[in-house]
């Protein structure tokens, strides 16, 4: 799907409760929509335009409760962000410059979001513990 100005949809994700939709574009912007409101309009306004990446958004995925959105582009090294849906903000402290994501090709949260797996172009699966969702954290 392309809009005027040649911005095309590259990826789409729906939150588990079906209320929120994320749409990634070829220009590196991911728009977050209230799905009910978006379905009522031909040109809906996003709740938030996430403009932290500069290349096409290839992957979007919500965690189990829809409070986190992971977004990435495989076209640029370390182009991965974690977005807090409640506060409508990107986590500024992760990933860091030393996080070895490289070129992210896929990602998935564990069923209760205690872990986040990120696959990359080196054939590796990076596994990160999300302490907020992990009942074992101290």
């Amino acid at each position: 799907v392309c809009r005027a100005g040649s911005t095309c949809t590259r990826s789409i994700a729906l939150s588990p409760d079906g209320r929120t939709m994320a749409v990634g574009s070829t220009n590196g912007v991911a728009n977050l929509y209230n799905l009910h409101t978006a379905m009522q309009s031909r040109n809906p306004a996003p709740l938030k335009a996430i403009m932290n990446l500069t290349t096409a958004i290839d992957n979007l995925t919500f965690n189990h409760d829809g409070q986190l959105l992971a977004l990435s582009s495989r076209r640029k090294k370390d182009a991965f962000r974690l977005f807090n849906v409640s506060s409508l903000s990107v986590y500024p402290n992760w990933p860091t410059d030393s996080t070895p994501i490289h070129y992210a090709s896929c990602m998935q949260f564990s069923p209760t979001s205690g872990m986040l797996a990120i696959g990359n172009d080196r054939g590796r699966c990076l596994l990160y513990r999300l302490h907020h969702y992990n009942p074992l954290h101290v």
Side-chain angles (χ1 to χ4, degrees):
V1 177
C2 294
R3 293 184 182 192
S6 71
T7 298
C8 299
T9 298
R10 182 80 180 153
S11 54
I12 297 175
L14 291 175
S15 64
D17 64 8
R19 294 182 194 179
T20 308
M21 177 175 61
V23 179
S25 68
T26 54
N27 66 357
V29 175
N31 287 315
L32 200 65
Y33 296 95
N34 173 297
L35 189 57
H36 178 73
T37 304
M39 298 302 287
Q40 305 296 321
S41 172
R42 289 183 53 84
N43 192 18
L47 297 170
K48 176 73 175 182
I50 307 166
M51 299 169 42
N52 294 82
L53 298 179
T54 58
T55 55
I57 308 291
D58 296 304
N59 299 298
L60 293 165
T61 189
F62 284 95
N63 74 328
H64 81 285
D65 63 6
Q67 294 301 304
L68 295 177
L69 173 68
L71 53 151
S72 71
S73 174
R74 64 175 172 240
R75 290 163 172 72
K76 187 174 180 184
K77 187 176 179 190
D78 300 326
F80 178 91
R81 298 293 179 270
L82 201 55
F83 182 80
N84 184 305
V85 176
S86 296
S87 67
L88 297 177
S89 62
V90 171
Y91 285 94
N93 59 342
W94 194 83
T96 66
D97 290 340
S98 62
T99 307
I101 293 174
H102 214 251
Y103 294 88
S105 57
C106 59
M107 68 262 188
Q108 187 64 48
F109 292 96
S110 65
T112 58
S113 303
M115 305 293 278
L116 170 63
I118 303 171
N120 68 19
D121 66 315
R122 294 179 172 175
R124 295 184 177 144
C125 179
L126 309 169
L127 194 58
Y128 296 97
R129 183 179 313 273
L130 302 178
H131 291 294
H132 178 78
Y133 289 95
N134 190 335
L136 302 177
H137 95 279
V138 179

